[in-house]
């Protein structure tokens, strides 16, 4: 929201203007003629392989001095530059979340122009739309949505499995077993209720932004709590379905192992 309108229009006019980044300061930005030079290494750059741009948090230096805020803390800004201006490292060797590609990004004296910086989630904006003034609390909204989305196929998978699976010993159908019925019902309640709670809490923040009222600490706290509740509810739902599916849950082709 702090970018000039013409520059913002250029971004939004490109359907492939994906941006990856880390807003925390993991490098330094030094003012030079016409703009800034950035040096540092940033981790957790989710989606960087598909992005055209990166946004990098950095400490700010001018005239050989580090800029400080009035409260004595270092000035931090987020700078935008083309991804190809520096290097993406191949270090995302992890046991989970492999698909996010959240690897490291490193640059040395990478240049970006004067206007290409923001203060992310600061509430400051040159534009009237509320989306440009969301607080940092907004960040977790996408994360808990992923968890809820991952849990949904497990519930549907158990429902589908139970319709046809029969015990080789008792010849009793899975759909007739109380454990499976409980798992489906409980998982549905967990996912639906936590999703509604997230939407209600964030709607409170969004309405405050639209009317330019303060986003209070209580609003932020409730919303952050709803994210945690959603993620934990999703995890519990998957565990319930996994256990109820029995040995069928082990196959990688199924929704439970995935």
């Amino acid at each position: 929201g702090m970018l000039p309108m013409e520059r913002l229009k250029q971004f939004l006019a490109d359907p492939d203007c994906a941006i990856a980044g880390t807003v925390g300061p993991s490098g330094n930005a030094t003012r030079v003629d016409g703009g800034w030079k950035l040096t540092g290494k940033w981790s957790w750059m989710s989606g960087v392989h598909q992005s055209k741009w990166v946004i990098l948090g950095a400490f700010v230096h001018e005239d050989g001095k580090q800029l400080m805020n009035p409260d004595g803390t270092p000035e931090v800004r987020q700078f935008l530059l083309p991804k190809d201006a520096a290097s993406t490292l191949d270090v995302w060797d992890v046991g989970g979340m492999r698909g996010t590609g959240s690897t490291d990004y490193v640059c040395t004296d990478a240049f970006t122009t004067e206007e290409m910086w923001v203060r992310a989630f600061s509430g400051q904006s040159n534009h009237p739309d509320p989306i440009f003034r969301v607080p940092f609390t907004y960040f977790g909204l996408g994360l808990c949505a992923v968890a809820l989305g991952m849990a949904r196929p497990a519930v549907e998978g158990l429902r589908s499995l139970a319709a046809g699976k029969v015990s080789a010993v008792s010849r009793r159908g899975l759909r007739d077993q109380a454990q499976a019925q409980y798992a489906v019902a409980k998982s549905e309640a967990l996912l639906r209720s936590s999703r509604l709670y997230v939407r209600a809490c964030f709607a409170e923040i969004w309405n405050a932004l639209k009317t330019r009222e303060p986003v209070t600490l209580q609003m932020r706290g409730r919303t952050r709590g709803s994210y945690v509740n959603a993620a934990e509810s999703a995890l519990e739902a998957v565990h319930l379905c996994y256990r109820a599916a029995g040995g069928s849950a082990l196959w990688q082709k199924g929704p439970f192992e995935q």
Side-chain angles (χ1 to χ4, degrees):
M2 297 180 69
L3 292 179
M5 180 59 76
E6 288 305 312
R7 176 63 85 172
L8 189 61
K9 287 181 178 179
Q10 291 175 9
F11 270 112
L12 300 180
D14 183 359
D16 297 322
C17 68
I19 304 172
T22 300
V23 298
S26 296
N28 294 284
T30 303
R31 183 184 288 278
V32 295
D33 289 342
W36 307 86
K37 283 190 174 181
L38 278 87
T39 297
K41 184 172 78 171
W42 291 261
S43 300
W44 299 97
M45 297 283 290
S46 300
V48 68
H49 297 291
Q50 294 79 31
S51 68
K52 283 189 176 181
W53 294 81
V54 292
I55 182 167
L56 308 173
F59 299 109
V60 184
H61 301 261
E62 291 187 16
D63 300 324
K65 297 180 179 179
Q66 183 174 354
L67 297 189
M68 307 297 290
N69 294 314
D71 62 1
T73 58
E75 168 82 6
V76 174
R77 300 177 189 173
Q78 289 73 37
F79 294 82
L80 289 134
L81 63 154
K83 182 188 74 174
D84 295 339
S87 301
T88 302
L89 304 182
D90 185 14
V91 297
W92 189 242
D93 184 14
V94 293
M97 297 173 56
R98 296 177 184 177
T100 67
S102 306
T103 193
D104 292 358
Y105 183 85
V106 62
C107 62
T108 302
D109 290 336
F111 178 79
T112 190
T113 54
E114 169 66 33
E115 77 282 2
M116 294 296 283
W117 64 269
V118 298
R119 291 190 179 93
F121 302 112
S122 66
Q124 302 177 21
S125 175
N126 296 324
H127 311 297
D129 198 290
I131 192 65
F132 294 110
R133 292 183 281 108
V134 291
F136 190 72
T137 311
Y138 172 78
F139 184 74
L141 186 62
L143 300 181
C144 73
V146 171
L148 292 173
M150 291 173 66
R152 172 52 59 185
V155 181
E156 300 304 327
L158 178 59
R159 184 181 281 113
S160 176
L161 177 69
K165 184 176 181 178
V166 177
S167 171
V169 178
S170 68
R171 306 309 300 167
R172 185 183 180 195
L174 183 60
R175 66 183 179 184
D176 298 321
Q177 297 181 26
Q179 179 188 9
Q181 295 172 4
Y182 173 82
V184 170
K186 179 67 172 180
S187 297
E188 281 285 358
L190 286 166
L191 298 186
R192 289 178 180 273
S193 62
S194 59
R195 181 175 182 268
L196 288 171
Y197 185 39
V198 168
R199 291 176 67 90
C201 289
F202 191 77
E204 190 177 19
I205 289 180
W206 187 251
N207 289 334
L209 291 171
K210 288 196 298 183
T211 56
R212 293 192 173 272
E213 296 177 357
V215 176
T216 66
L217 183 61
Q218 289 78 13
M219 291 180 188
R220 299 183 191 210
R222 282 193 293 270
T223 304
R224 291 292 291 271
S226 75
Y227 298 161
V228 175
N229 177 67
E232 292 183 346
S233 295
L235 180 61
E236 184 178 351
V238 171
H239 283 172
L240 285 167
C241 295
Y242 196 98
R243 288 194 297 266
S248 301
L250 297 174
W251 299 100
Q252 291 192 11
K253 64 182 180 181
F256 311 103
E257 181 64 23
Q258 294 172 6

